[in-house]
Amino acid sequence: MAVIQTTGSISPRRKIRESAGDRVFLSITYVLLSLILVAVLYPLIYIVSSSISSPQAVASGKVWLWPVDISFAGYKTVFSNDQILVGYGNSLFYTCCGTLISVILTVAIAYPLSKKTFFGRNVLMMFITFTFLFSGGLIPTYLVVKGLHLIDTRWALLLPNAIFVFQVIIARTFFKASIPEELNDAAEIDGCSDIRFLLSVVIPLSKPILAVLTLVYAVAQWNAFFDALIYLKSQHLYPLQLTLRSILIQNFSGGNMDASEQVKRQELAYLMKYSLIVVASLPVLILYPFIQRYFVQGMLIGSIKG
Amino acid sequence: MKAVSVQPQTETRERSTSKNYWKEAKKSLRKHWQLYLLVIPPVLFFILFKYLPMANAVLAFKNYQVTKGIWGSPWVGTKYFDMLFNNPQFWTLIKNTLFLSLYQLAATFPIPIILALLLNEVRSLRFKKAVQLITYAPFFISTVVMVSIIMIFLAPRLGLLNVILNAMGMESTNFLGDPTKFRSVYVWSEVWQTTGYSCVIYLAALAGVDPSLYEAAKVDGASRLQKIIHVDIPGILPAAVIILILSVGNIMSLGFEKVYLMQNPLNLQSSEIISTYVYKIGLLNANYSFATAVGLFNSVINLILLVAVNAVSRRISENSLW
């Protein structure tokens, strides 16, 4: 970036020629934004670089920005850990199934709510938005899940938080704005039922909103941690985030390693944290360009008063 | 965010007479019976996982006995609330929750606005896009990974921040083991993670500002700074007010996950907040009734705050959620 020197003295010319003041202002803007950019980017680069450096280089603090003595030892350790692999598989399962359930349920409520001729939609809308404002709390919810015998089952991660109120509002706003009433009237005259109209006309016309819903729910499910913490007991059901917690935060390394190589083991355990962070974020990272686009889109739809 | 409102305008028409009301209901039911069927599973979801817990919150007034269930357990009136208010830890919890929340609000509310205003000045579209794409990314890091990143960077021995402090001749600090630093670590990592995300809404608002206002400002010879103050800021004010209402309404419901993961015996003094306390009392110590009372107290405060802030905002600025 071409940055004009700005420190301290604001030129007296500012009062005479405004463009000079503006130019100073603009350069300050660029400097600040560049600083923000570095502040956000640096930790991310540091972690990725460390993850592909050698255990010794990381443990002795030699990595500053770029990888030192490139090695994939950290990744090898990650992928040879059964606990992580099981968690990874579970998380993929929860993310796929949970997202499917959530998207279907959200569309099932949002579409009827978007129709003017659907009697009772205002009451139903209030019924839903109220849950946005008030909640029963942790223990009462836990007791419901327990009463339904969902504790320590996969359903406990798929059902209790299946619908986000905000996503219902976004989907409803989208349907309202992009499915013309005339289209529905025409279909009705042709004897098309509501369900068929939804499946063969509305859904194909609603790809952007379906993408928004899918990505929002998928990211939330992939990153979810709390429900697993309170509802799951069996380790073979644990999603990745719970495994991550025991390895990254509680410093519990699952695999059995040779005790004679104590130092090497510690170095490797330390390095593995970096690799694990990268591996755990990989699905989101790969999809990030889509995620960013559709999250922004969802937020913009949501901010329209509908 | 504004979409939370429920439109009342059609209601008045529908309710003109009760006879018409039922007629319309019947007609709609006959015409849209498939849609009414479709709505059943999601409605069931809300009843089971949202409204049933609300009903279960009566537990706060009962002495829960596993064998008798929630409804069969004996009433104890406000025993658990008395217990809560007389608990010496209560005020520490309130204080910790409020301080952390207000600190967070003070940082995470204005910073995205500043970022959006700065970005709006940038004329190079590529640079603007790059900054947006990169600052937005940390939002998608999971809480567990975020906390481990914090721990890695702030580690007493090898943590980068301490290495830098040492290089500058200062002593290492155990950031996570110090109750006085807990809040700052929490809040500034939150800023790092969410600023890019939160600024999107303001950028959208800025994009929607009437271009003729900029023209007028230019004709009047306004500098960039003057343009920001007189055109940009009024342009994003409605969005900012809505976000502020929502944030204030959520002041007592801080995210459990991050605080819980960042807790350790050394920083507990300032890191124990209401939600982590409810988790420990309720699920780890199985003291269901007391934990429900604490949670209910928290929910009610939240609701009151939200309604109050919304009312104040509606009176002074015409911006409100409903």
Side-chain angles (χ1 to χ4, degrees):
Chain A
M1 267 126 279
V3 168
I4 305 164
Q5 298 236 316
T6 56
T7 36
S9 60
I10 293 169
S11 75
R13 275 194 296 163
R14 200 181 71 148
K15 278 178 191 155
I16 311 158
R17 282 184 54 199
E18 263 161 354
S19 61
D22 277 356
R23 230 176 292 144
V24 172
F25 184 76
L26 195 62
S27 346
I28 296 175
T29 304
Y30 273 99
V31 170
L32 281 176
L33 284 175
S34 308
L35 284 176
I36 292 171
L37 203 58
V38 170
V40 174
L41 206 52
Y42 180 69
L44 299 175
I45 294 179
Y46 180 83
I47 285 166
V48 175
S49 293
S50 298
S51 78
I52 50 173
S53 298
S54 74
Q56 296 78 21
V58 174
S60 55
K62 278 186 194 144
V63 179
W64 285 99
L65 182 64
W66 302 118
V68 178
D69 306 334
I70 291 183
S71 101
F72 294 93
Y75 289 95
K76 247 178 232 161
T77 320
V78 168
F79 286 111
S80 60
N81 184 322
D82 291 339
Q83 218 189 328
I84 293 172
L85 293 178
V86 169
Y88 218 88
N90 282 338
S91 274
L92 284 176
F93 171 82
Y94 293 130
T95 303
C96 294
C97 293
T99 305
L100 191 69
I101 293 173
S102 297
V103 171
I104 290 174
L105 286 177
T106 305
V107 171
I109 187 107
Y111 175 65
L113 280 173
S114 74
K115 288 183 81 78
K116 279 204 185 97
T117 50
F118 187 78
F119 184 81
R121 65 196 181 104
N122 290 324
V123 177
L124 196 56
M125 199 61 212
M126 270 194 268
F127 172 80
I128 292 171
T129 40
F130 183 68
T131 64
F132 201 62
L133 307 177
F134 189 77
S135 82
L138 171 68
I139 303 298
T141 313
Y142 175 82
L143 289 176
V144 168
V145 175
K146 199 175 171 194
L148 293 168
H149 302 289
L150 298 181
I151 300 287
D152 210 22
T153 68
R154 290 185 190 270
W155 293 108
L157 299 198
L158 302 177
L159 295 181
N161 280 311
I163 304 180
F164 295 171
V165 173
F166 195 62
Q167 299 308 312
V168 174
I169 294 168
I170 288 174
R172 170 175 162 267
T173 310
F174 180 89
F175 290 137
K176 244 185 182 172
S178 61
I179 310 292
E181 291 273 318
E182 297 78 30
L183 206 59
N184 197 12
D185 295 343
E188 230 168 69
I189 292 165
D190 289 344
C192 176
S193 71
D194 279 329
I195 296 279
R196 220 183 122 201
F197 182 72
L198 173 64
L199 292 178
S200 52
V201 179
V202 177
I203 300 283
L205 282 176
S206 307
K207 280 182 194 131
I209 195 66
L210 292 178
V212 170
L213 294 178
T214 305
L215 290 174
V216 169
Y217 282 123
V219 170
Q221 187 67 254
W222 182 263
N223 286 343
F225 154 75
F226 185 55
D227 282 358
L229 176 74
I230 58 177
Y231 297 136
L232 294 186
K233 292 186 187 77
S234 320
Q235 230 170 49
H236 70 275
L237 296 177
Y238 278 9
L240 184 63
Q241 300 297 332
L242 216 53
T243 315
L244 288 181
R245 175 192 173 223
S246 62
I247 296 174
L248 292 175
I249 294 174
Q250 298 175 326
N251 285 316
F252 175 82
S253 52
N256 289 320
M257 278 177 259
D258 198 343
S260 64
E261 297 183 309
Q262 194 68 29
V263 178
K264 231 179 183 176
R265 196 184 115 172
Q266 271 176 0
E267 283 175 352
L268 206 58
Y270 189 68
L271 170 69
M272 184 185 144
K273 287 188 174 187
Y274 293 95
S275 313
L276 191 51
I277 285 173
V278 175
V279 171
S281 313
L282 206 61
V284 181
L285 214 65
I286 292 169
L287 290 174
Y288 180 62
F290 299 98
I291 291 175
Q292 197 248 2
R293 186 153 57 110
Y294 285 111
F295 263 72
V296 170
Q297 206 170 345
M299 211 166 181
L300 299 188
I301 297 170
S303 60
I304 301 164
K305 199 159 190 164
Chain B
M1 306 270 155
K2 277 185 183 176
V4 183
S5 68
V6 181
Q7 305 81 354
Q9 66 269 38
T10 47
E11 249 168 82
T12 44
R13 194 157 22 95
E14 281 168 10
R15 283 203 187 131
S16 49
T17 64
S18 61
K19 217 177 185 180
N20 279 348
Y21 197 65
W22 285 114
K23 228 185 207 167
E24 209 178 322
K26 254 197 213 156
K27 201 178 129 200
S28 176
L29 195 61
R30 204 174 309 130
K31 191 175 161 198
H32 291 311
W33 63 272
Q34 291 187 328
L35 294 185
Y36 284 96
L37 281 183
L38 194 64
V39 156
I40 290 173
V43 167
L44 216 58
F45 162 85
F46 281 103
I47 291 174
L48 275 180
F49 295 111
K50 303 288 168 186
Y51 282 93
L52 209 53
M54 284 184 213
N56 278 355
V58 294
L59 206 58
F61 304 96
K62 290 183 159 216
N63 182 9
Y64 184 66
Q65 286 159 5
V66 183
T67 46
K68 289 182 182 163
I70 294 166
W71 298 97
S73 298
W75 292 96
V76 291
T78 56
K79 177 185 156 192
Y80 291 106
F81 289 96
D82 297 339
M83 229 169 101
L84 173 64
F85 298 136
N86 293 324
N87 186 335
Q89 222 185 331
F90 174 66
W91 292 109
T92 317
L93 288 177
I94 298 277
K95 193 190 89 188
N96 284 346
T97 310
L98 266 180
F99 278 14
L100 188 58
S101 226
L102 289 173
Y103 188 176
Q104 174 172 270
L105 186 64
T108 57
F109 177 65
I111 292 176
I113 298 181
I114 294 169
L115 178 62
L117 291 173
L118 290 178
L119 273 174
N120 198 43
E121 294 304 305
V122 171
R123 269 183 255 139
S124 152
L125 206 62
R126 231 209 238 144
F127 182 65
K128 192 175 169 179
K129 278 252 166 71
V131 175
Q132 260 187 283
L133 194 73
I134 288 163
T135 53
Y136 198 69
F139 181 75
F140 298 97
I141 294 174
S142 77
T143 314
V144 178
V145 170
M146 185 64 215
V147 173
S148 36
I149 290 177
I150 294 172
M151 289 169 109
I152 284 176
F153 277 89
L154 301 184
R157 197 175 59 88
L158 276 174
L160 202 62
L161 204 59
N162 276 319
V163 172
I164 292 169
L165 284 181
N166 287 340
M168 291 184 346
M170 282 184 268
E171 268 177 56
S172 301
T173 318
N174 185 2
F175 288 95
L176 283 165
D178 186 344
T180 58
K181 300 207 168 60
F182 170 80
R183 286 186 194 116
S184 295
V185 173
Y186 180 93
V187 169
W188 293 103
S189 59
E190 199 71 10
V191 168
W192 183 78
Q193 206 182 357
T194 61
T195 299
Y197 174 79
S198 312
C199 112
V200 170
I201 202 104
Y202 299 114
L203 282 175
L206 284 170
V209 171
D210 185 356
S212 66
L213 291 176
Y214 290 117
E215 306 274 319
K218 209 185 257 173
V219 171
D220 290 347
S223 70
R224 277 176 176 267
L225 193 62
Q226 282 170 325
K227 189 210 66 180
I228 287 180
I229 293 169
H230 297 290
V231 182
D232 290 349
I233 291 184
I236 58 174
L237 203 61
V241 170
I242 294 287
I243 303 247
L244 192 63
I245 294 175
L246 283 173
S247 319
V248 173
N250 280 324
I251 251 177
M252 298 285 281
S253 60
L254 268 172
F256 162 90
E257 295 186 5
K258 192 170 161 193
V259 177
Y260 181 69
L261 290 170
M262 282 174 69
Q263 269 181 1
N264 59 46
L266 295 174
N267 66 22
L268 212 55
Q269 192 189 328
S270 68
S271 67
E272 189 79 299
I273 61 170
I274 294 177
S275 57
T276 55
Y277 184 70
V278 168
Y279 170 74
K280 286 175 191 165
I281 293 293
L283 287 182
L284 300 186
N285 299 344
N287 198 341
Y288 289 169
S289 291
F290 184 49
T292 305
V294 181
L296 190 62
F297 167 77
N298 200 11
S299 293
V300 170
I301 298 275
N302 263 329
L303 188 63
I304 293 171
L305 273 175
L306 191 62
V307 171
V309 177
N310 195 46
V312 169
S313 160
R314 187 160 40 179
R315 185 159 294 179
I316 59 176
S317 74
E318 293 175 357
N319 291 308
S320 71
L321 291 174
W322 59 80

